[in-house]
RNA sequence: GGGUGGUUAGCUCAGCCGGUAGAGCAGCGGACUUUUAAUCCGUUGGUCGCGAGUUCGAAUCUCGCACCACCUACCA
């Protein structure tokens, strides 16, 4: 891991050799990478602006435009050629004629390669097949591409290469570009949603002396000058609640968390979380807010609240179900009667049949949770809030007033996956201190995911935190859902991969 | 971590029962002044993922390793 970087590989590929020779010739003729070309027009803007114009009207008007982009297609026909340029907005065709640009330039153009970055100035016309085209008065090569692009028709299909060389994926695949544009719009929509409701966006530390706020294994790092061990954050929760203590009564943060755990189609070591906290609210309010948020973002970004994910249609308009774990188990497995699901012995027997590991210390809530996860979680396709989680597994959530063995907490499930997790916050400093102590004890006993005792967080609570509700939403998973992406790697620009070679 | 499948030219892919590798695109040379995956003629290009083994002979069969994908387990 700490080995020195390998020297860059010398690529002996013949195509690259030829392109290097072309670049060398360009260098000998002057500036090979000119930086004085100015673009005034984007492809999509031109298509939109002249959508209704016939060539009879367009060509005589001699509308001057300056476009630039990557050459994706090239068709040479003796004394005239067509090229297709791609810019950030889309594609536009360019017509290069010996009569218009001169024999020398056209001859040079014939030796430019797919992938080269070009600038074209000229006038608009429509070809006989009615395609809007720039007739070049001048055409320049701005940046030579040394590496050949994937095949123009099939594009890049190799999953590994799409992830490792995202830049090539983005050049070749419109659908990939669209996913990341949507991701950006979703994050923007969420940001606007909270700002419009008077929330303050904040940034809290990514490097924590004590990792907290979730049950997960952290990454460890070291600060040299301070000579101290630091952890990449597994959640921002404890810092955001310190801010609520400080008087920022409505805060949110959209940022990265890091968890040193397995990698899968649903897990990347770094992932983006939205967390938000609002004082003088409870978890019921959060559920309402979450429904509104997801509906509004879907409407804004997709234009609809009917979402198809991997062949399953989700209705985000309908009020989301709200069920306790026992109710959910009963609803999807009617053979488990509600009365029985409240009996410890019944649950132990049921779990034994499923061969689920249980501990003598597991109480009613824990047993229900285990049966729920085993039998029911994957069946929650339509948006469903599951409420009342056991206090044992919710060390930061407020205990229920009637039954302190459960908490005022919910998790939102869609397509059988957890999308959000929220609760009325525990603001009793003495209760919090006891729960930390229990977690610390579990950690000593070998539970690597158990929390540390965070004395400063308890000290903050001792100044008094207003009753508060807080929630976290996994942005990557939400984006997967809204873009119909099967893998989390499809919605993360540069997913974590094993080292090449 | 466990299971299944994959890895052949820059890219997309063929390659049968083992006989030492092929197409299309891209590239190079030529023809072509409205093409659009342009077309037509010619042509260069390979450590068949890596390493062993079986065999007269391995891209092909066997074993090991690496990486990727999918399923599964933990999690968000």
């Amino acid at each position: 891991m700490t080995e020195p970087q390998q020297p860059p590989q010398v690529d002996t590929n013949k195509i690259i050799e030829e392109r290097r020779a072309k670049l060398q010739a360009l260098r000998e003729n002057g500036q090979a990478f000119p930086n004085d070309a100015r673009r005034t027009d984007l492809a999509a803007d031109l298509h939109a602006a002249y959508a209704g114009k016939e060539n009879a009207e367009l060509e005589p008007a001699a509308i001057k435009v300056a476009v630039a982009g990557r050459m994706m297609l090239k068709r040479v026909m003796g004394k005239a050629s067509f090229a297709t340029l791609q810019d950030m907005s889309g594609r536009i065709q360019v017509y290069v004629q010996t009569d218009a640009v001169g024999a020398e330039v056209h001859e040079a153009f014939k030796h430019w390669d797919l992938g080269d970055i070009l600038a074209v100035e000229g006038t608009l016309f429509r070809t006989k097949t009615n395609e809007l085209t720039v007739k070049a008065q001048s055409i320049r090569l701005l940046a030579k591409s040394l590496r050949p692009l994937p095949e123009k028709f099939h594009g890049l299909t190799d999953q590994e290469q799409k992830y490792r060389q995202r830049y090539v994926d983005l050049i070749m695949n419109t659908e990939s570009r669209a996913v990341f544009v949507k991701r950006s719009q979703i994050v923007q929509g969420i940001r606007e949603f909270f700002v419009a409701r008077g929330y303050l966006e904040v940034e809290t530390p990514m490097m924590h002396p004590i990792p907290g706020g979730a049950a997960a294994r952290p990454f460890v790092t070291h600060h040299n000058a301070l000579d101290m061990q630091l952890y990449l954050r597994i959640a921002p929760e404890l810092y955001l609640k310190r801010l609520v203590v400080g008087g920022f009564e409505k805060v949110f943060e959209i940022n990265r968390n890091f968890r040193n755990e397995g990698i899968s189609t649903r897990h990347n070591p770094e992932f983006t979380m939205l967390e938000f906290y609002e004082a003088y609210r409870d978890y019921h309010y959060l559920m309402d807010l979450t429904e509104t948020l997801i509906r509004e973002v879907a409407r804004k970004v997709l234009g609809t609240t009917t979402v198809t994910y991997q062949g399953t249609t989700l209705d985000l308009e309908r009020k989301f179900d709200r069920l306790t774990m026992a109710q959910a188990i009963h609803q999807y497995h009617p053979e488990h009667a509600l009365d029985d699901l409240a009996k410890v012995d019944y649950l132990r027997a049921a779990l034994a049949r499923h061969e689920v590991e249980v501990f003598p210390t597991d109480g009613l809530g824990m047993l229900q949770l285990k049966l729920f996860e085993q039998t029911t979680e994957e069946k929650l396709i339509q948006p469903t809030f599951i409420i009342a989680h056991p206090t044992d597994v919710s060390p930061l959530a407020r205990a229920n007033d009637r039954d302190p063995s459960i908490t005022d907490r919910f998790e939102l499930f869609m397509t059988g996956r957890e999308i959000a997790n929220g609760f009325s916050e525990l603001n009793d400093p003495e209760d919090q201190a006891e729960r930390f102590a229990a977690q610390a004890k579990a950690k000593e006993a070998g539970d690597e995911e158990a929390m540390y005792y965070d004395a400063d967080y308890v000290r903050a609570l001792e100044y008094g935190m207003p009753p508060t509700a807080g929630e976290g939403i996994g942005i990557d998973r939400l984006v997967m859902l809204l873009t119909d992406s099967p893998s989390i790697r499809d919605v993360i620009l540069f997913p974590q991969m094993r080292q090449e070679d």
Side-chain angles (χ1 to χ4, degrees), chain A residues 235-434:
Chain A
E237 172 155 353
L238 300 183
Y239 284 93
L240 291 172
K241 283 191 279 192
R242 283 174 171 96
L243 295 180
V244 176
V245 169
F248 288 148
E249 293 164 351
K250 297 165 94 172
V251 292
F252 76 101
E253 177 166 7
I254 300 172
N255 223 321
R256 226 65 66 78
N257 289 347
F258 306 86
R259 298 190 184 174
N260 205 342
E261 292 168 351
I263 291 179
S264 77
T265 46
R266 287 183 279 286
H267 300 83
N268 195 62
E270 52 179 309
F271 62 99
T272 302
M273 275 282 278
L274 159 71
E275 285 206 10
F276 56 98
Y277 293 82
E278 179 167 347
Y280 311 108
R281 296 291 191 185
D282 68 6
Y283 74 120
H284 294 290
Y285 173 80
L286 289 181
M287 287 190 273
D288 292 339
L289 190 69
T290 302
E291 289 199 34
T292 309
L293 170 69
I294 290 176
R295 246 175 238 140
E296 279 195 15
V297 167
R299 211 174 280 136
K300 193 166 196 170
V301 176
L302 308 178
T304 173
T305 49
T306 305
V307 177
T308 300
Y309 185 74
Q310 304 294 295
T312 304
T313 300
L314 300 181
D315 178 9
L316 305 179
E317 202 58 51
R318 197 199 57 160
K319 184 154 175 64
F320 297 4
D321 277 344
R322 299 182 185 190
L323 304 170
T324 64
M325 283 182 194
Q327 287 167 341
I329 295 168
H330 174 67
Q331 179 163 325
Y332 290 90
H333 300 276
E335 67 271 21
H336 295 298
L338 274 176
D339 290 351
D340 289 333
L341 289 170
K343 293 174 189 156
V344 168
D345 290 347
Y346 179 87
L347 289 165
R348 285 190 184 276
L351 284 164
R353 283 199 299 278
H354 285 290
E355 294 177 0
V356 176
E357 192 182 11
V358 295
F359 301 104
T361 49
D362 286 347
L364 180 69
M366 196 64 181
L367 296 169
Q368 285 180 344
L369 175 65
K370 284 181 174 176
L371 189 60
F372 168 77
E373 286 178 346
Q374 177 70 26
T375 61
T376 306
E377 187 173 315
E378 63 181 17
K379 296 194 178 341
L380 302 178
I381 305 301
Q382 298 299 324
T384 306
F385 290 109
I386 297 297
I387 57 176
H389 289 63
T391 307
D392 295 350
V393 295
S394 314
L396 303 169
R398 185 180 203 280
N400 184 266
D401 285 342
R402 278 191 220 127
D403 177 2
S405 76
I406 56 170
T407 53
D408 289 343
R409 176 181 174 189
F410 66 86
E411 290 185 332
L412 172 62
F413 291 87
M414 297 166 77
T415 65
R417 297 171 189 182
E418 186 186 337
I419 293 291
N421 174 25
F423 40 84
S424 299
E425 301 295 339
L426 174 58
N427 63 341
D428 173 344
E430 292 176 350
D431 187 350
Q432 184 66 74
E434 282 170 26

